[in-house]
Amino acid sequence: MLYHNSRPIASKTAAHRYANRPDRFYQWRNFFEDRPDALDLIEEEFELQVEDTRHDKYFIVPGRSNMITRMTDSDMLEIRSMISTDGPLEQWERSIKTAFPLKRTTSSMIGTYIPRFRGCCSSVADAESLTDALSKKSKFYRTELNRRIFESDELRVEVSTMTFEGQDFTTIAISSESSDKVLEALKRFDFKPRANQNYGAFLSQFRSHTL
């Protein structure tokens, strides 16, 4: 592991592996008001791959509770779709991940996943115009995240800290292509399997445009 100013730097190999992670995965995520004890185990046993600070916008589209649309740093768009639930886990698919400016074919694909915005998305050229198009009928939330990605044994653990409406939260997401791997990790870290919240479910309890 390389360090700069006492901070780890992800290697090119690690970055490549992270960028090419699978499009379908099982995930358990939850949000905590206090630092979970499991963080000590995660930091000790897992290898840190990525550490960054990012500004995200999450769009919660009416009638699409199983879909999360996220814009990262105003230059990357990702649409995730929840395709199934398996006990305490959710199975997600990365339906779209693309950079701006959007290609015409990509805009058409976005319209496929979010039909009510088909007309708006077909003319989107940049992040600002997409925000205008989506926010008319959806709620969106601005977030600033300090994020760390850990990996070990076909498992990916994302740890992020954030502030919503003056309150600090830590979110931990455990992901893998194998549901068994995620369930084993929940038991190892003493997390309650049924306490599972994705970003859409968590953000919906807050007022939009205020985060």
Side-chain angles (χ1 to χ4, degrees), residues 24 29 52 58 100 115 122 135 138 144 191 199:
R24 284 194 176 187
R29 179 189 292 275
D52 58 17
Y58 287 88
F100 288 93
S122 63
S135 63
S138 68
E144 181 176 351
F191 286 140
Y199 266 103

Side-chain angles (χ1 to χ4, degrees), residues 41-188:
L41 289 174
I42 293 171
E43 293 169 347
E44 179 181 345
E45 299 181 10
F46 285 68
E47 181 180 356
L48 180 63
Q49 301 290 342
V50 176
E51 183 172 9
D52 58 17
T53 298
R54 21 188 277 186
H55 294 80
D56 290 348
K57 283 184 180 179
Y58 287 88
F59 296 87
I60 311 301
V61 182
R64 298 277 168 167
S65 59
N66 64 334
M67 182 178 299
I68 296 177
T69 302
R70 178 178 69 190
M71 186 187 303
T72 300
D73 290 333
S74 295
D75 58 14
M76 182 67 66
L77 178 74
E78 182 174 336
I79 297 178
R80 292 185 177 188
S81 305
M82 185 168 63
I83 58 178
S84 69
T85 57
D86 184 3
L89 308 183
E90 299 171 344
Q91 187 179 27
W92 288 85
E93 176 182 70
R94 292 180 186 83
S95 305
I96 292 177
K97 185 173 183 179
T98 184
F100 288 93
L102 299 181
K103 298 179 180 178
R104 185 179 298 274
T105 53
T106 305
S107 298
S108 178
M109 290 175 61
I110 294 173
T112 299
Y113 286 101
I114 314 177
R116 71 180 62 201
F117 297 116
R118 182 183 300 275
C120 298
C121 289
S122 63
S123 61
V124 163
D126 53 32
E128 183 177 357
S129 58
L130 180 61
T131 299
D132 291 341
L134 291 179
S135 63
K136 290 176 181 178
K137 294 184 179 180
S138 68
K139 298 171 67 176
F140 75 93
Y141 302 82
R142 298 183 182 92
T143 66
E144 181 176 351
L145 307 175
N146 296 313
R147 190 184 63 146
R148 292 180 293 163
I149 305 295
F150 299 86
E151 288 187 358
S152 175
D153 191 24
E154 302 178 36
L155 204 65
R156 176 177 178 268
V157 181
E158 176 184 311
V159 178
S160 300
T161 57
M162 66 199 80
T163 301
F164 288 146
E165 297 189 341
Q167 186 172 359
D168 294 330
F169 293 93
T170 297
T171 176
I172 297 179
I174 303 173
S175 308
S176 176
E177 289 182 88
S178 167
S179 59
D180 290 339
K181 291 287 185 182
V182 181
L183 292 173
E184 290 171 5
L186 294 182
K187 185 176 181 180
R188 173 77 177 92

Side-chain angles (χ1 to χ4, degrees), residues 27-31 90 171-172 194-203 205:
Q27 184 175 84
W28 177 94
R29 179 189 292 275
N30 206 1
F31 295 79
E90 299 171 344
T171 176
I172 297 179
R194 292 296 174 182
N196 188 356
Q197 255 190 328
N198 57 58
Y199 266 103
F202 175 73
L203 290 173
Q205 63 186 300

